[in-house]
Amino acid sequence: MLEAQPEPGGAVRSAGYLGPGFVADVCSAFYPLAAASPAIASLALEDHGLRWAHAPAVLAHPLPDGGCALLSRDVTETCSALERLGRGDGAAWERLWQLWGRLGPALVDALFTPFPPLRAGTRMLARAGPAGVPAFARFAALPVRRLMEEEFSGPGGLLLAGCTMHTDLAPESAGGALYAWILAMLGQQYGWPVPEGGAGRLAQAMVGRLRSLGGEVRCSTPAEEVLVRHGRATGVRAVSGETFRARRAVIADVAAPLLYGGLVGWEHLPARLRDDIRRFQWDYATVKVDWALSGRVPWSAPTAGRAGTVHLSAGIDEMTMYCAQLATGQVPAEPFVLMGQMTTADASRSPLGTESLWGYTHVPRSVRGDAGGRGLSGAWDGAELELMADRVEQQVERFAPGFRSLVSRRHVLGPHQLQEHNANAVGGAVSGGTAAAHQQLFLRPVPGLGRPRTPVAALYLASASAHPGGGVHGACGANAARAALRAQGPVRRWLRRAAAAPA
Ligand SMILES: Cc1cc2nc3c(=O)[nH]c(=O)nc-3n(C[C@H](O)[C@H](O)[C@H](O)COP(=O)(O)OP(=O)(O)OC[C@H]3O[C@@H](n4cnc5c(N)ncnc54)[C@H](O)[C@@H]3O)c2cc1C
């Protein structure tokens, strides 16, 4: 495995930049998708040191009036918390949970296997039944704002709306409710766990497994070109000039626009792909902030202090404004903030009584103005990043007055730094491309290439630009690896297994 950076992990790494005793997750932090993914489960990473940790509660959405929507792994507790915010809302959650009980497991299987998911899809259809299929199709197409209106009388549905904000979909986007429901119900079923000791421990466990099987990771070795001969990938040339021959296949964990026309020259690719890649849509840019706090966050709604993840936005209209500002190239005035109370989730992240706090928000990929009135231009130099971090802190202060007085250290990463840290995070994108319907399933990353195969034989796309997209679930890589193994044919596969079997 060739890794461009000095250490492996990509968007799954930890660092010590918050000072002694504090662990910060540089990019991703919470792993509901990994917890549910058959691809990750099949790796038995616990045998390589991975331990999951859970906060007392999964997710909180504090409200401006001091109330709080809470997701707990105990469904009765979630329902009670929501019922307190709106009559009938506990029952609404229970209905969504029952729907998950019927269709969730098959849906997860369908999501995490190559497209089209024939077996899991058939199971899902059978579970839904003839009347259930059109009803679920409608549910799957709902915008999250509409789901809230239909199911909830109080603000408890914000738990779901905040989950939609993990994608680049707006509260009014079709399909947004489905993402929200999946993330929330995974939280209900598995929690949103974190690796004990930091996100990097997940990557370390994967590297440990690879090494135990004889694999090698070459760090600080950026790949520059996939070598192609007679339409087939034969190896990789690193920036250093060193070449690596691939006997079986090249698996590319790079964003689609970096592979097509980048690592693989256009001369090896169909002309149509060039046009498709021109239309490839990235997801939003990102500004990430980490804080070392001398105490726990002083939430007005104390319940929020129990949750690993906290969503910050005063309501669904504020989320719509945030998304509208992103869509129109304005740096949002009141950013939606996705926060992680990392020490609350895993006590090893900072000294007793303190908090290692993680958060990010999105900014437009191309800035045309600043809705916050501070003249942010999108240069995202040091001064602009500090101003944006101040804006994020203002948002935290609305829900936790006095928060700022606890900050002993702050570390900010903008779109440029995220991309320097990981070439796949082009312009600060987190998901390898938009989650919108026009770039999903068989349309991901471009129409017709829903599978990890590429137009070059023995070259497979394994990054989040492939189906099923962003998030840490291992499915893109697993799909690519399986496709490569299948391409060897049964005889070679059998010989390989026989050679690997213990004597
Ligand atoms: C700020 C942030 C927060 C996030 N939060 C979460 C979260 O909490 N939970 C979650 O599930 N997901 C989260 N995500 C999304 C998730 O991390 C990504 O979708 C996922 O890591 C993508 O996996 P990947 O394998 O496609 O690539 P990456 O994780 O991006 O890894 C790609 C690797 O390839 C290397 N590479 C790239 N180009 C080359 C080259 N030419 N030569 C050699 N090596 C190369 C990179 O250095 C990197 O190590 C977050 C992402 C970001 C950026």
Side-chain angles (χ1 to χ4, degrees):
M1 187 180 111
L2 305 184
E3 168 55 58
Q5 297 293 325
E7 69 180 276
V12 187
R13 277 164 65 181
S14 309
Y17 49 61
L18 287 179
F22 282 81
V23 178
D25 289 342
V26 185
C27 293
S28 63
F30 289 89
Y31 299 106
L33 298 167
S37 164
I40 299 282
S42 72
L43 301 180
L45 294 176
E46 287 75 8
D47 296 346
H48 299 276
L50 178 67
R51 300 279 172 277
W52 291 113
H54 289 269
V58 179
L59 167 67
H61 194 123
L63 305 167
D65 66 1
C68 186
L70 188 81
L71 172 58
S72 157
R73 278 190 287 160
D74 173 355
V75 70
T76 316
E77 190 184 16
T78 309
C79 291
S80 313
L82 298 184
E83 189 63 29
R84 275 196 292 280
L85 297 175
R87 217 160 138 216
D89 289 357
W93 193 267
E94 182 65 43
R95 282 195 298 278
L96 293 170
W97 176 232
Q98 279 173 12
L99 182 64
W100 179 258
R102 274 207 312 284
L103 302 182
L107 182 66
V108 167
D109 285 351
L111 213 64
F112 290 151
T113 45
F115 193 83
L118 293 176
R119 214 177 300 160
T122 312
R123 214 167 80 233
M124 233 185 111
L125 293 179
R127 298 276 294 165
V133 171
F136 187 72
R138 178 183 184 279
F139 176 78
L142 280 176
V144 78
R145 179 187 281 275
R146 184 64 201 149
L147 180 72
M148 283 177 67
E149 288 165 357
E150 287 179 8
E151 301 295 334
F152 294 88
S153 65
L158 285 174
L159 274 184
L160 291 162
C163 290
T164 302
M165 298 289 104
H166 289 230
T167 70
D168 59 335
L169 301 183
E172 294 72 29
S173 303
L178 183 69
Y179 282 103
W181 177 69
I182 292 172
L183 265 187
M185 294 301 140
L186 287 177
Q188 190 63 81
Q189 183 170 0
Y190 300 99
W192 288 7
V194 304
E196 254 178 44
R201 294 285 176 88
L202 173 53
Q204 282 162 19
M206 294 189 73
V207 170
R209 183 179 184 277
L210 179 72
R211 287 193 176 130
S212 74
L213 295 168
E216 186 194 343
V217 181
R218 280 280 204 102
C219 289
S220 304
T221 311
E224 189 168 53
E225 185 185 357
V226 174
L227 304 170
V228 180
R229 215 161 159 244
H230 304 309
R232 183 180 180 84
T234 57
V236 171
R237 187 170 51 74
V239 169
S240 62
E242 196 176 355
T243 58
F244 299 84
R245 202 167 81 78
R247 274 189 300 127
R248 296 192 176 110
V250 174
I251 312 259
D253 183 14
V254 294
L258 302 181
L259 182 64
Y260 302 126
L263 292 180
V264 180
W266 288 121
E267 67 276 18
H268 300 299
L269 297 164
R272 163 102 197 274
L273 186 58
R274 194 170 194 156
D275 193 40
D276 286 339
I277 284 292
R278 185 181 65 75
R279 292 166 205 276
F280 180 89
Q281 185 181 339
W282 284 104
D283 45 305
Y284 300 138
T286 307
V287 173
K288 161 92 194 318
V289 192
D290 293 285
W291 298 267
L293 299 186
S294 59
R296 296 293 168 99
V297 181
W299 299 109
S300 303
T303 327
R306 296 178 52 219
T309 310
V310 183
H311 291 158
L312 293 184
S313 176
I316 188 80
D317 292 347
E318 193 171 293
M319 289 185 206
T320 296
M321 286 304 294
Y322 163 77
C323 291
Q325 285 165 355
L326 287 171
T328 53
Q330 302 293 310
V331 180
E334 290 177 320
F336 172 85
V337 186
L338 213 166
M339 298 205 84
Q341 305 191 99
M342 305 317 302
T343 312
T344 301
D346 167 18
S348 74
R349 302 298 182 93
S350 70
L352 190 67
T354 66
E355 184 74 76
S356 172
L357 193 68
W358 166 102
Y360 73 83
T361 189
H362 290 301
V363 292
R365 292 187 72 77
S366 175
V367 173
R368 277 181 261 152
D370 179 9
R374 298 298 302 274
L376 291 174
S377 68
W380 302 127
D381 53 17
E384 290 212 348
L385 288 179
E386 292 304 322
L387 278 173
M388 192 62 204
D390 288 346
R391 195 170 297 176
V392 168
E393 287 189 358
Q394 272 161 26
Q395 187 75 327
V396 187
E397 278 280 336
R398 282 169 77 192
F399 300 91
F403 158 77
R404 272 190 167 147
S405 65
L406 299 175
V407 176
S408 52
R409 199 147 173 177
R410 171 171 102 173
H411 183 269
V412 194
L413 287 166
H416 307 314
Q417 292 85 353
L418 285 167
Q419 188 169 340
E420 276 162 27
H421 165 83
N422 177 357
N424 278 10
V426 175
V430 301
S431 292
T434 181
H438 61 267
Q439 205 166 285
Q440 288 293 29
L441 307 175
F442 62 95
L443 305 174
R444 192 170 189 90
V446 297
L449 293 181
R451 295 193 150 235
R453 280 173 181 278
T454 70
V456 176
L459 173 66
Y460 300 86
L461 179 65
S463 71
S465 289
H467 170 73
V472 176
H473 43 65
C476 308
N479 290 346
R482 292 210 179 96
L485 289 172
R486 260 198 310 274
Q488 289 176 46
V491 175
R492 290 185 70 176
R493 235 180 12 245
W494 182 85
L495 286 173
R496 203 179 59 84
R497 277 211 203 108

